[in-house]
Amino acid sequence: MNLLRTKSIEQSIADADEPGRKLKRSLSTWDLMIMGVAVAVGAGIFSVGAKAAANFAGPAVTVSFAIAAVTCALAIMCYAEFATAIPVAGSAYVFTYATMGELLAWIIGWNLILELFTAAAVIAKYWGIYLSKVFALTGLDVPPAISLGGVDLYWGAFLIVAIFTVLLVLGTKLSARVGNIFTLIKIGVVLFVIVVGFTYVKVENYSPFVPAAEPTAGTGAADVLKQSFFGFLTGAAPAQYGTMGIFAGAALVFFAFIGFDVVATSAEEVKNPQKTLPRGIFGGLALVTLLYILVSLALTGMVSYTQLAEAKSPTLTTAFEAVGDTSAAKVIAFGSLVGLTTVIMVLLMGLSRVVLAMSRDGLLPRSLSKTSDKRSTPVRLQIICGAAVALVAGLTNVDLLEEMINIGTLSAFVVVSLGILVLRRKRPDLKPAFRVPFGKVLPIVSAVLCLYLMTNLAVETWIFFAIWLVIGLAIYFAYGQRHSRLNERFAEASMSVNGAPAAAGTEAASERDDEDELSRT
């Protein structure tokens, strides 16, 4: 059992051209840039900054956003170098498979599924809740959930996931055009909020810029589970604010930057990926960072962070209500709804592309990687992903797992950052269109920063993450390792070396198994 076997870059590119499993290259630099903004600028811009300021960093939340942006930028540089060298679907999973071996590639792919599935389900549920708020502002009382046999069904999640599942089935370019329209609208809403917010800014609200550290109010095991993993490891008492609060805030607001690794999953659907991918990713990241910092400056200048901390779930609406501008709530509610809409679309697309890449390799059932001859989209897989997200979002309390999104993303960032060093050592002949500058320094800094942000997530998040990894390893050894196409190739090569005559038969049997699997589904 060779768990460290790697898949060559040439083989990954060849598999992406396999008839019946190909994706169409239709996305431009503009499409990628808007896609990054679409998935990053969601309702989080109206809420996550307020939570980080209220509970962790105070006015220094702007520094938290800057740290998160720099960390993301370093990791995205590594993604860009990989994506221009291996322009196929699958993102960090494919990159890891080419450098660090199958087992770690499975773990990263499994973590990406965690990130994208959980994010899509959480945000779809919030979309339904925000839709009810918009109805309420227009005088209509439409509850976000209906009771069916004692179970709350969030109907909005089903609606929005169904709409974008259909759009993604019809074609990536069509869904990108729809996403572009929604994204431009929500950028306009964000700019409105920034301009209006700055008219209420009072300089004294920025002081103290970094509040003094203080112990959290809770005690006992529950409070320990909520503290950062770093604090738990170092034996520090649960606390908030201070310098550590800035980094805890950065770990929280990192959620706002997860979209850019999703953009990398679309590499196989990009026209001229060597030039388009870096431009689209970095252009989107620069715009998003600017918007986040301006929003956080307006937020913490409007009201004191202590006022935000008094609210149960502080948002931008909390700040506008505190200064007496209740009319802004309508704009924010509308902006949140529009913002969430495009996030769901990009996450659903990213989820299906990661699963498609893993199923092409046999680590998941090969039937899932079948694409439509007419539209070149994974119709069956997209419908399965949409149905699963809708069921979890509509029927479960999935929002309890929000931080799982961050830990899944950061774990992938760590491996991709280190993978660049392995790729350069193993394949010095490669000349990707983009290379991370300063040699080994920036990839190492990226990995360290991402790992440190991971340790600033809550202890309970790490516990859930460990459980998820155990489940993933069980699936890999029970199914993925045995059905891996690379495993079959290794077996054939071994038999050939040992003089066994069955290599051709193994290949034929493998093809028959794939055909049987497709016919069964």
Side-chain angles (χ1 to χ4, degrees), residues 316-330:
L316 268 179
T317 303
T318 308
F320 278 98
E321 288 175 346
V323 297
D325 190 350
T326 54
S327 62
K330 294 182 180 180

Side-chain angles (χ1 to χ4, degrees), residues 130-411:
Y130 275 107
L131 181 62
S132 294
K133 289 183 178 180
V134 171
F135 280 135
L137 290 171
T138 60
L140 298 175
D141 183 16
V142 181
I146 57 177
S147 181
L148 293 177
V151 177
D152 287 336
L153 171 64
Y154 287 82
W155 59 271
F158 279 89
L159 175 64
I160 191 62
V161 172
I163 290 172
F164 278 111
T165 296
V166 171
L167 281 174
L168 288 166
V169 165
L170 292 177
T172 305
K173 186 65 176 179
L174 173 62
S175 54
R177 286 173 180 168
V178 174
N180 291 352
I181 296 171
F182 277 100
T183 302
L184 292 176
I185 292 172
K186 69 180 176 183
I187 289 175
V189 173
V190 171
L191 291 175
F192 170 81
V193 169
I194 291 170
V195 171
V196 175
F198 269 105
T199 63
Y200 296 106
V201 166
K202 295 180 180 178
V203 177
E204 56 266 28
N205 287 329
Y206 292 126
S207 181
F209 188 71
V210 181
E214 59 184 60
T216 54
T219 57
D223 199 47
V224 170
L225 290 177
K226 295 294 183 182
Q227 78 173 122
S228 73
F229 189 56
F230 183 81
F232 175 78
L233 291 176
T234 57
Q240 59 187 152
Y241 306 128
T243 304
M244 296 303 296
I246 295 175
F247 284 98
L252 177 63
V253 302
F254 191 82
F255 172 78
F257 294 94
I258 66 167
F260 295 97
D261 67 314
V262 180
V263 174
T265 68
S266 64
E268 195 174 320
E269 296 165 90
V270 175
K271 294 181 288 187
N272 192 11
Q274 283 72 22
K275 292 183 178 179
T276 303
L277 271 166
R279 292 173 183 172
I281 290 176
F282 293 128
L285 179 61
L287 178 56
V288 165
T289 302
L290 178 62
L291 291 175
Y292 279 156
I293 289 178
L294 288 175
V295 167
S296 62
L297 283 171
L299 169 71
T300 53
M302 289 171 66
V303 296
S304 169
Y305 73 94
T306 55
Q307 282 182 273
L308 293 174
E310 292 171 359
K312 183 178 180 181
S313 297
T315 65
L316 268 179
T317 303
T318 308
F320 278 98
E321 288 175 346
V323 297
D325 190 350
T326 54
S327 62
K330 294 182 180 180
V331 177
I332 293 172
F334 175 73
S336 297
L337 185 67
V338 174
L340 287 176
T341 303
T342 52
V343 176
I344 296 168
M345 180 196 75
V346 180
L347 290 172
L348 286 172
M349 187 189 79
L351 174 62
S352 66
R353 274 35 174 193
V354 171
V355 176
L356 179 142
M358 297 174 74
S359 62
R360 269 182 188 160
D361 294 330
L363 300 182
L364 291 173
R366 285 263 295 164
S367 56
L368 296 176
S369 61
K370 185 71 175 176
T371 57
S372 164
D373 293 333
K374 181 179 180 181
R375 305 186 185 281
S376 296
T377 58
V379 174
R380 180 187 305 171
L381 176 57
Q382 197 69 68
I383 293 173
I384 291 172
C385 289
V389 168
L391 286 172
V392 172
L395 298 173
T396 69
N397 195 16
V398 70
D399 45 312
L400 293 175
L401 300 178
E402 280 185 59
E403 280 199 0
M404 295 294 285
I405 303 168
N406 286 7
I407 201 167
T409 306
L410 285 166
S411 65

Side-chain angles (χ1 to χ4, degrees), residues 18-184:
E18 183 181 350
R21 304 178 196 276
K22 294 173 62 176
L23 296 171
K24 183 179 179 180
R25 295 195 181 275
S26 60
L27 300 178
S28 65
T29 298
W30 172 256
D31 291 327
L32 279 190
M33 181 175 171
I34 292 296
M35 188 183 295
V37 176
V39 73
V41 182
I45 198 170
F46 304 111
S47 60
V48 72
K51 291 179 182 177
N55 302 321
F56 297 104
V61 69
T62 53
V63 181
S64 297
F65 271 114
I67 292 171
V70 169
T71 303
C72 183
L74 291 175
I76 290 303
M77 284 184 187
C78 299
Y79 269 84
E81 181 170 336
F82 262 124
T84 55
I86 319 174
V88 300
S91 184
Y93 159 74
V94 173
F95 307 156
T96 307
Y97 212 162
T99 53
M100 298 186 182
E102 184 174 279
L103 177 60
L104 193 55
W106 165 266
I107 292 173
I108 293 302
W110 187 241
N111 288 349
L112 288 175
I113 292 174
L114 167 69
E115 169 203 343
L116 298 170
F117 182 89
T118 306
V122 167
I123 294 172
K125 184 174 182 177
Y126 283 162
W127 187 90
I129 295 172
Y130 275 107
L131 181 62
S132 294
K133 289 183 178 180
V134 171
F135 280 135
L137 290 171
T138 60
L140 298 175
D141 183 16
V142 181
I146 57 177
S147 181
L148 293 177
V151 177
D152 287 336
L153 171 64
Y154 287 82
W155 59 271
F158 279 89
L159 175 64
I160 191 62
V161 172
I163 290 172
F164 278 111
T165 296
V166 171
L167 281 174
L168 288 166
V169 165
L170 292 177
T172 305
K173 186 65 176 179
L174 173 62
S175 54
R177 286 173 180 168
V178 174
N180 291 352
I181 296 171
F182 277 100
T183 302
L184 292 176

